[in-house]
């Protein structure tokens, strides 16, 4: 469930009444610009243009929010300075989550997953999300290590595209996407995303067709030190055009878990050779094309660097 997602690879996410217990205040941000045209041949003219960005500010109050089949849910800024939690669960297929920001560290200590996601057989999208303020290390759950940013339901059977997502400083996985490997078999494509200083792992995937592209991972002295990319069975997992800068911490690419091997294909990617590559239980990591060991992590273009930019769609 979204509150307690990590007890096993076969847990399921419960449904919840949409926006139950929701306490919110609406904030409309307007930006107006006046453009004055130059005069010509003695005639003067002026033009005015207004660009308005609207988003809703929601105070975290332990609410559970459900995104329904086919729904587009966008332009929200969550105020996490309340010290409470929020969990967001998706149902059905072909939903879209975009322009969502979380301002302030999650200090609820709930040990939940902020997002519990799955697609029943179609294709869904997550884009322009900021979770860069992280969480503390308390854990009210009986499993895991604390707060997870994204947990993928084992029943996930479709496809989810994640693009321009910024996740930093979470006490558990940034993207826990390995559970469908034992059940639904759905795929995840992480593209143009940034993850830094999370515990356990940053991007954790299992199913054939799942991949990480054009993304970066950073582990430095500021926060937790989990694996860069953790590939589970059955695979094959693809990694392409990525920068995995671990600064000698943990493992850059970790293949295999729980006595089961997997395959990983790595193309045009730089990884930290001190953290290195580990192959468990007969796993294989194949380095192809121009892969190397001189990573420089970066926040991909279009990925938000603040909660407000994400909510407004200004990245």
């Amino acid at each position: 469930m979204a509150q307690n997602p990590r007890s096993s690879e076969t847990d399921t996410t419960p449904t919840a009444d949409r926006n139950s217990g929701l306490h919110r205040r609406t904030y409309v941000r307007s930006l107006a610009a006046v453009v004055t045209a130059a005069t010509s041949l003695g005639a003067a003219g002026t033009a005015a243009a207004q660009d308005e960005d609207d988003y809703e500010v929601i105070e975290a109050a332990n609410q559970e929010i459900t995104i329904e089949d086919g729904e587009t849910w966008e332009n929200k800024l969550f105020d996490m300075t309340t010290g409470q939690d929020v969990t967001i669960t998706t149902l059905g297929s072909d939903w879209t989550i975009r322009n969502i920001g979380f301002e302030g560290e999650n200090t609820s200590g709930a040990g939940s997953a902020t997002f519990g996601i799955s697609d029943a057989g179609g294709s869904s999208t997550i884009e322009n999300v900021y979770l860069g303020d992280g969480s503390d290390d308390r854990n009210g759950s009986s499993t895991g290590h604390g707060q997870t940013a994204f947990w993928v339901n084992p029943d996930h059977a479709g496809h989810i595209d994640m693009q321009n997502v910024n996740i930093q400083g979470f006490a558990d996985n940034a993207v826990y996407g390995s559970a469908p490997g034992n059940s639904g078999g759905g795929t995840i494509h992480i593209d143009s995303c940034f993850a830094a200083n999370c515990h356990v792992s940053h991007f954790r995937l299992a199913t054939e067709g799942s991949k990480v592209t054009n993304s970066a991972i950073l582990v430095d002295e500021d926060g937790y030190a989990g694996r860069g990319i953790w590939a589970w069975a059955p695979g094959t997992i693809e990694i392409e055009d990525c920068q995995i800068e671990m600064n000698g911490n943990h493992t850059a690419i970790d293949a295999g878990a729980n006595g089961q091997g997997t395959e990983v294909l790595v193309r045009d990617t730089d990884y930290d050779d001190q953290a290195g590559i580990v192959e468990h239980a007969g796993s294989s990591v194949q380095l192809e094309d121009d892969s190397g060991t001189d990573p420089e992590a970066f926040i991909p273009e279009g990925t938000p660097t603040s909660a407000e930019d994400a909510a407004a769609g200004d990245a």
Side-chain angles (χ1 to χ4, degrees):
M1 60 186 283
Q3 292 285 354
N4 183 15
R6 298 174 302 280
S7 59
S8 75
E9 292 283 17
T10 58
D11 284 346
T12 57
T13 303
T15 61
D17 291 337
R18 179 170 175 77
N19 301 343
S20 62
L22 193 62
H23 301 282
R24 60 175 67 189
R25 52 192 168 90
T26 300
Y27 171 69
V28 177
R29 188 185 69 161
S30 299
L31 174 64
V34 177
V35 180
T36 304
T39 59
S40 175
L41 299 176
T46 61
Q50 179 169 304
D51 178 18
E52 185 175 279
D53 292 320
D54 296 347
Y55 57 82
E56 182 179 24
V57 174
I58 304 172
E59 294 180 344
N62 297 323
Q63 61 266 57
E64 298 177 355
I65 298 172
T66 301
I67 311 305
E68 304 285 353
D69 186 273
E71 180 178 356
T72 295
W73 189 69
E74 59 190 343
N75 300 107
K76 314 289 184 186
L77 189 151
F78 285 90
D79 179 4
M80 304 304 296
T81 65
T82 62
Q84 298 188 64
D85 196 24
V86 58
T87 58
I88 300 146
T89 302
T90 66
L91 298 178
S93 298
D94 304 321
W95 44 262
T96 298
I97 294 170
R98 65 179 172 224
N99 300 342
I100 309 296
F102 294 80
E103 188 168 58
E105 184 182 46
N106 187 324
T107 58
S108 68
S112 66
T114 302
F115 287 90
I117 58 175
S118 66
D119 184 284
S123 182
S124 295
T125 301
I126 297 168
E127 58 187 1
N128 203 51
V129 175
Y130 179 83
L131 282 157
D133 293 345
S135 74
D136 66 11
D137 60 1
R138 294 179 302 131
N139 184 25
S141 170
S142 61
T143 60
H145 298 269
Q147 202 73 18
T148 297
F150 288 89
W151 173 73
V152 184
N153 191 307
D155 292 335
H156 169 54
H159 179 76
I160 298 174
D161 285 308
M162 299 182 67
Q163 188 170 36
N164 297 126
V165 177
N166 186 337
I167 308 168
Q168 300 183 48
F170 272 75
D172 206 276
N173 297 267
V175 178
Y176 187 136
S178 58
N182 287 336
S183 186
T187 53
I188 306 286
H189 182 190
I190 298 169
D191 182 66
S192 299
C193 294
F194 180 76
N197 298 314
C198 295
H199 193 41
V200 185
S201 72
H202 291 80
F203 301 139
R204 174 173 171 171
L205 301 172
T207 55
E208 184 171 5
S210 290
K211 61 183 70 176
V212 184
T213 60
N214 306 308
S215 297
I217 295 167
L218 174 66
V219 175
D220 56 21
E221 72 282 355
D222 185 21
Y224 308 104
R227 300 164 180 83
I229 295 175
W230 196 3
W232 284 54
T236 300
I237 307 302
E238 299 177 47
I239 303 169
E240 185 170 359
D241 289 319
C242 292
Q243 299 292 308
I244 308 172
E245 184 179 350
M246 304 294 292
N247 290 296
N249 293 290
H250 214 307
T251 309
I253 301 172
D254 200 345
N258 289 351
Q260 294 181 302
T262 190
E263 292 189 1
V264 183
L265 297 180
V266 183
R267 303 184 185 95
D268 296 319
T269 291
D270 281 282
Y271 66 95
D272 180 349
D273 62 346
Q274 186 177 355
I277 294 171
V278 175
E279 299 165 318
H280 300 282
S283 294
S284 172
V285 178
Q286 300 179 36
L287 301 176
E288 299 181 353
D289 299 332
D290 190 23
S291 293
T293 56
D294 187 23
E296 293 184 13
F298 62 97
I299 297 177
E301 184 177 357
T303 299
T305 57
S306 74
E308 186 176 69
D309 284 348
D314 284 347

